[in-house]
Amino acid sequence: MFKYVFGPVPSRRLGRSLGVNVVPLKYCNFNCIYCQLGRTKYLVNDQSMFYEPEEIIREMEIAVKSRDYDYLTFIGDGEPTLYAGLGKLIRWARENQGKPLAILTNGAKLADETVRNWLSELDVVKVSTDTCNERVFRMVNRPHRSITFEGFINGLEEFREEFSGQIWSEVMLVHGVNDTEECAEKVGEVLSRYRPDRVYLMVPTRPPAEPWVKPPTSETLIKFANTISKYINKDRIFIIDSIERGEFYIDKNDPLNSILNILKVQPMTIEQIMDIIKRNKLEPGIVDELRKFVKEVVFNGIKYLVYSGND
Ligand code: SF4
């Protein structure tokens, strides 16, 4: 039974992404208002050895041989760079499998030289830049008190100087909070400081930590993209405003756990769950089993199953 490795799952940016979840719910150095994992329970910025690296490597060893994927992606039920064993896992993955390696991080730990060294062995580092100054940073990302906006961006700049792989930046826009024209100009300026290879303009598509969070309109998104294109080549800007479609890998010997491991990192619509049941010819009763570990949340008129951390 796998605990850390899940998928591959369809990813809008990484194709079939084989996920390695290295942080328990929900340890993070941010507490973003839009987080799909709910509010941060443990707002920390020190690293911990949450799990024995060997336990995770054992699962990776089996999965990389038996599953077909495009990227091996490090992720967390929070912020993956808070895991003290991450460097060891990255080294193992580099030496023992041939597919590209990625991480989905907020990027705040790139202020730390050790983390920069670990992540320099990856092919893609996805970071976040939702805001343009200390005030909006504290309003949207609500970081740990030891993290300042300038320290955060300086870490990204230092990493850019040292890293030859791809830096992809995610800008999550929230209606009425960071989607203004003024914000777009300033976010463009901040992005130009560390020159990401790609910028993804995103909107909340899954239930957010704060129920009042709403996505901006399509017009606002396009306007925002036009404004930041003064600072970043427009061919590098992508808009993502819908959830991913595609096939999720499910271990037929352990379907409940396979689905739960995915739900731990991303809420899913009832439609996605029903599609998994159909494709894998699973018993429909599995939905009742899942309900013991999830809650149902309606966002933007769509019903989602959200992991509640009870397994
Ligand atoms: S969105 Fe990412 S960085 Fe923000 S609180 Fe959630 S896990 Fe942490």
Side-chain angles (χ1 to χ4, degrees):
M1 179 165 126
F2 277 13
K3 182 173 167 193
Y4 312 102
V5 176
F6 62 93
V9 298
S11 158
R12 290 166 292 193
R13 293 157 295 187
L14 299 165
R16 285 164 306 164
S17 165
L18 183 64
V20 186
N21 182 351
V22 297
V23 171
L25 193 74
K26 201 205 134 170
Y27 284 80
C28 195
N29 43 12
F30 284 8
N31 181 17
C32 304
I33 54 175
Y34 56 75
C35 184
Q36 61 183 17
L37 303 173
R39 289 185 189 143
T40 296
K41 272 197 208 146
Y42 308 98
L43 185 62
V44 292
N45 198 31
D46 288 334
Q47 293 181 320
S48 296
M49 195 58 89
F50 298 110
Y51 312 112
E52 285 303 321
E54 289 70 25
E55 277 183 42
I56 304 179
I57 288 173
R58 265 197 293 280
E59 289 189 10
M60 286 163 69
E61 225 163 2
I62 300 169
V64 300
K65 284 184 197 143
S66 57
R67 299 185 187 178
D68 187 20
Y69 58 99
D70 300 314
Y71 274 86
L72 183 64
T73 308
F74 296 97
I75 189 169
D77 266 355
E79 170 50 42
T81 58
L82 292 177
Y83 176 46
L86 181 64
K88 194 166 185 177
L89 300 189
I90 292 175
R91 209 164 318 117
W92 182 91
R94 191 40 96 207
E95 288 166 4
N96 292 279
Q97 61 87 59
K99 296 286 172 70
L101 302 175
I103 189 166
L104 308 185
T105 168
N106 58 31
K109 276 302 225 186
L110 288 168
D112 178 332
E113 190 184 355
T114 308
V115 174
R116 287 202 299 278
N117 287 339
W118 291 349
L119 269 50
S120 66
E121 293 190 46
L122 300 171
D123 299 282
V124 172
V125 175
K126 193 292 298 164
V127 300
S128 296
T129 303
D130 307 320
T131 63
C132 53
N133 60 34
E134 191 71 40
R135 189 182 61 83
V136 191
F137 184 45
R138 304 237 150 243
M139 199 191 294
V140 174
N141 303 112
R142 302 185 297 192
H144 185 268
R145 64 183 179 285
S146 64
I147 302 170
T148 63
F149 183 70
E150 268 311 301
F152 167 48
I153 301 300
N154 287 342
L156 295 175
E157 284 180 297
E158 286 195 54
F159 187 60
R160 173 74 293 173
E161 295 314 314
E162 302 162 8
F163 182 55
S164 55
Q166 293 267 312
I167 299 180
W168 295 354
S169 184
E170 198 172 279
V171 184
M172 181 69 86
L173 295 178
V174 176
H175 173 66
V177 179
N178 62 342
D179 64 343
T180 60
E181 193 51 24
E182 188 193 349
C183 222
E185 286 283 351
K186 290 189 177 152
V187 167
E189 281 172 25
V190 171
L191 291 169
S192 67
R193 282 174 58 184
Y194 72 89
R195 308 180 309 281
D197 299 279
R198 295 187 192 178
V199 175
Y200 288 98
L201 289 186
M202 320 271 294
V203 304
T205 51
R206 297 194 175 90
E210 303 304 337
W212 49 265
V213 162
K214 296 280 173 280
T217 61
S218 312
E219 295 75 39
T220 307
L221 256 179
I222 291 166
K223 229 168 133 189
F224 202 99
N226 283 336
T227 304
I228 63 168
S229 68
K230 290 190 223 162
Y231 302 89
I232 297 280
N233 186 318
K234 68 175 183 344
D235 298 341
R236 297 182 173 206
I237 301 171
F238 303 85
I239 292 179
I240 295 191
D241 57 359
S242 59
I243 61 166
E244 48 288 280
R245 307 262 161 229
E247 198 168 341
F248 293 81
Y249 171 87
I250 300 299
D251 179 353
K252 298 250 179 51
N253 297 317
D254 193 10
L256 179 67
N257 198 45
S258 278
I259 301 174
L260 266 182
N261 283 343
I262 298 168
L263 280 166
K264 281 179 185 171
V265 294
Q266 59 173 65
M268 295 165 90
T269 62
I270 299 280
E271 191 192 21
Q272 284 176 307
I273 302 277
M274 296 319 285
D275 186 57
I276 287 177
I277 290 174
K278 199 169 145 201
R279 283 181 199 259
N280 294 278
K281 300 188 176 62
L282 304 177
E283 290 295 327
I286 197 168
V287 176
D288 298 326
E289 285 300 304
L290 280 171
R291 285 190 196 282
K292 295 177 188 163
F293 307 101
V294 298
K295 55 187 177 191
E296 217 173 83
V297 179
V298 177
F299 178 62
N300 259 352
I302 300 170
K303 249 187 222 171
Y304 288 83
L305 296 187
V306 180
Y307 175 66
S308 56
N310 294 333
D311 65 334

